[in-house]
Amino acid sequence: MADAPDSPPSSAVPPAAVASALPAAEPDDPSTEPAAQDALLDPPRRAVERGDYGRALAQLEALAAAHGAASAFGGRLRLLMATALMGQGRSAEAAAVCRSLRACRDATLRAQARELEEVLDAPALERPREWSMTLPSLAELESLEGNSQPLVRRRRPKPPAPPAPPTGPTSPPWGLALLVGLVLVLTVLLGGCVQLETTLRFPAPGRLQISQTSLSASGHSLPWQRQLAAALQTTPLHRRQDHGLQTLSSPVLPAPQALELLGQSVATAAQLAGLELPPPQLQLEERNWLLGVRQHFSMSLDLRAVPALPGLDLHLHLEPVGPRAVRQAEPLPARALPGRRVVWTLQPGALNRLELRCWRWSRLGLGSLAIGALLALALLLQRLRLRAGFGLPELPA
């Protein structure tokens, strides 16, 4: 068995790096100009950079015989000579050349020679065996000419076939159903049951007032309540918090502004709950007949994307509204409450619609009508008096 030729020791410095680190030419020898000295060192330096260490040593040995180690030029060429010797693996000779530079008058060159000498004298590190690859000797290999027997290719055994799938009636996944039901129950219990009530008040023709109340069954404020109040902070709604009861109320607003605010609050609440609901359809039409205003209010809220969770109650209160004003309420009917109030329960998972038609009488119009009726009655009585022969009333004489 023959090993592949070893590479240079790991502690050795690359010759090209040492050659490039050599200092520039300094005028020291009076017999030779600095430019001429650099011209003498250029051929061996280029040979070292190419890896032609034998040619570089032949040129440097001739120059070293003419220039001693004490001069700066002699020190530079001996450093280059040590680099070439390192390239050939002659570390001992390179260290001897570095020791000869102890007599050099240039302190920088002496320091460089000392550092290079310390590197060369350092013990070589053992190279692990797995870093090299050992090739067998060709003489030890048997001749293949006599071995003309056909090679038998062994076949790998095939893996066993997978077992057949089970057959027969499939049992219901009761375990999965139980797990899903448990997760839903925990979600409801941890999230807390919420009761939402929206009150829509009609104080006067063309005016509306909104009040939204959310009550947590746990008796504590829910994160959803706080997020809803923060999202509607820039609106006219004012917040009032009493433990788990949160009330958002607005002042009396014009009808278009109030309906827009109601639609915004519904959309914000659905978004915070992670639901995608169509925008609610809210419309209020009014016609003034002097004696009163004929109002027509319609509302359509699509809650088909809301799951029917236990403890979730949605109510809409309308006041002052009588039960006869409700023309349509589906899928659940509206209920009358004392004090001209109507409550309508919204059903999750369904399309909820409500329609109202009622009169809002004007006090000014009714007063004018009453005054007109009294005047007409007075004129009628006076006319009957004249026809009866009593004549016009006279002052006493």
Side-chain angles (χ1 to χ4, degrees), residues 284-299:
L284 177 61
E285 297 178 358
E286 295 182 341
R287 181 173 295 182
N288 194 342
W289 294 87
L290 296 181
L291 299 179
V293 177
R294 179 70 170 175
Q295 288 185 336
H296 177 209
F297 175 74
S298 61
M299 176 181 179

Side-chain angles (χ1 to χ4, degrees), residues 253-317:
L253 300 173
Q257 183 180 357
L259 294 179
E260 182 181 358
L261 179 59
L262 179 59
Q264 179 182 356
S265 63
V266 171
T268 304
Q271 182 180 4
L272 293 177
L275 301 174
E276 296 184 1
L277 298 181
Q281 303 296 326
L282 305 172
Q283 187 176 6
L284 177 61
E285 297 178 358
E286 295 182 341
R287 181 173 295 182
N288 194 342
W289 294 87
L290 296 181
L291 299 179
V293 177
R294 179 70 170 175
Q295 288 185 336
H296 177 209
F297 175 74
S298 61
M299 176 181 179
S300 177
L301 185 58
D302 191 354
L303 299 180
R304 285 176 289 190
V306 180
L309 298 177
L312 178 61
D313 297 331
L314 305 175
H315 303 283
L316 176 63
H317 292 257

Side-chain angles (χ1 to χ4, degrees), residues 209-283:
Q209 187 177 12
I210 300 174
S211 177
Q212 292 182 334
T213 303
S214 58
L215 176 61
S216 172
S218 61
H220 301 281
S221 177
L222 298 178
W224 176 83
Q225 292 176 313
R226 295 190 294 269
Q227 294 173 2
L228 179 62
L232 300 176
Q233 188 176 4
T234 58
T235 62
L237 294 173
H238 301 285
R239 180 193 181 194
R240 186 171 67 254
Q241 186 74 37
D242 183 11
H243 298 286
L245 177 62
Q246 176 178 275
T247 303
L248 300 175
S249 58
S250 71
V252 179
L253 300 173
Q257 183 180 357
L259 294 179
E260 182 181 358
L261 179 59
L262 179 59
Q264 179 182 356
S265 63
V266 171
T268 304
Q271 182 180 4
L272 293 177
L275 301 174
E276 296 184 1
L277 298 181
Q281 303 296 326
L282 305 172
Q283 187 176 6

Side-chain angles (χ1 to χ4, degrees), residues 1-324:
M1 306 293 288
D3 295 342
D6 295 340
S7 59
S10 59
S11 61
V13 178
V18 179
S20 60
L22 290 177
E26 298 181 1
D28 185 76
D29 193 352
S31 61
T32 308
E33 296 296 332
Q37 294 176 358
D38 289 341
L40 293 176
L41 288 180
D42 283 343
R45 183 181 289 112
R46 287 194 296 269
V48 170
E49 294 175 354
R50 293 193 307 267
D52 193 357
Y53 303 119
R55 182 184 296 274
L57 286 175
Q59 298 173 358
L60 291 173
E61 289 173 355
L63 294 175
H67 300 277
S71 63
F73 179 73
R76 290 197 300 274
L77 69 89
R78 280 169 174 77
L79 280 178
L80 190 60
M81 183 183 299
T83 303
L85 291 172
M86 290 170 57
Q88 290 185 343
R90 300 155 63 181
S91 302
E93 298 180 21
V97 173
C98 293
R99 284 191 292 270
S100 66
L101 292 179
R102 296 175 180 176
C104 183
R105 294 190 297 268
D106 194 327
T108 303
L109 295 177
R110 289 199 308 271
Q112 294 179 359
R114 190 181 309 110
E115 294 175 359
L116 187 59
E117 181 182 356
E118 292 176 357
V119 173
L120 293 172
D121 291 341
L125 299 178
E126 295 184 2
R127 183 176 55 189
R129 182 176 181 85
E130 58 269 14
W131 286 12
S132 60
M133 182 179 63
T134 303
L135 299 177
S137 176
L138 296 178
E140 298 177 1
L141 296 179
E142 298 180 0
S143 177
L144 297 178
E145 295 179 358
N147 299 335
S148 58
Q149 299 178 357
L151 299 178
V152 179
R153 185 176 182 179
R154 297 181 179 179
R155 296 183 179 181
R156 296 182 179 179
K158 294 183 179 181
T167 59
T170 304
S171 59
W174 296 112
L176 179 60
L178 181 61
L179 178 60
V180 173
L182 182 61
V183 171
L184 291 178
V185 171
L186 290 178
T187 302
V188 173
L189 294 178
L190 295 177
C193 303
V194 180
Q195 181 179 358
L196 301 177
E197 293 185 358
T198 301
T199 302
L200 196 59
R201 185 170 176 268
F202 299 84
R207 294 290 187 269
L208 290 176
Q209 187 177 12
I210 300 174
S211 177
Q212 292 182 334
T213 303
S214 58
L215 176 61
S216 172
S218 61
H220 301 281
S221 177
L222 298 178
W224 176 83
Q225 292 176 313
R226 295 190 294 269
Q227 294 173 2
L228 179 62
L232 300 176
Q233 188 176 4
T234 58
T235 62
L237 294 173
H238 301 285
R239 180 193 181 194
R240 186 171 67 254
Q241 186 74 37
D242 183 11
H243 298 286
L245 177 62
Q246 176 178 275
T247 303
L248 300 175
S249 58
S250 71
V252 179
L253 300 173
Q257 183 180 357
L259 294 179
E260 182 181 358
L261 179 59
L262 179 59
Q264 179 182 356
S265 63
V266 171
T268 304
Q271 182 180 4
L272 293 177
L275 301 174
E276 296 184 1
L277 298 181
Q281 303 296 326
L282 305 172
Q283 187 176 6
L284 177 61
E285 297 178 358
E286 295 182 341
R287 181 173 295 182
N288 194 342
W289 294 87
L290 296 181
L291 299 179
V293 177
R294 179 70 170 175
Q295 288 185 336
H296 177 209
F297 175 74
S298 61
M299 176 181 179
S300 177
L301 185 58
D302 191 354
L303 299 180
R304 285 176 289 190
V306 180
L309 298 177
L312 178 61
D313 297 331
L314 305 175
H315 303 283
L316 176 63
H317 292 257
L318 303 169
E319 57 184 31
V321 174
R324 295 183 179 180

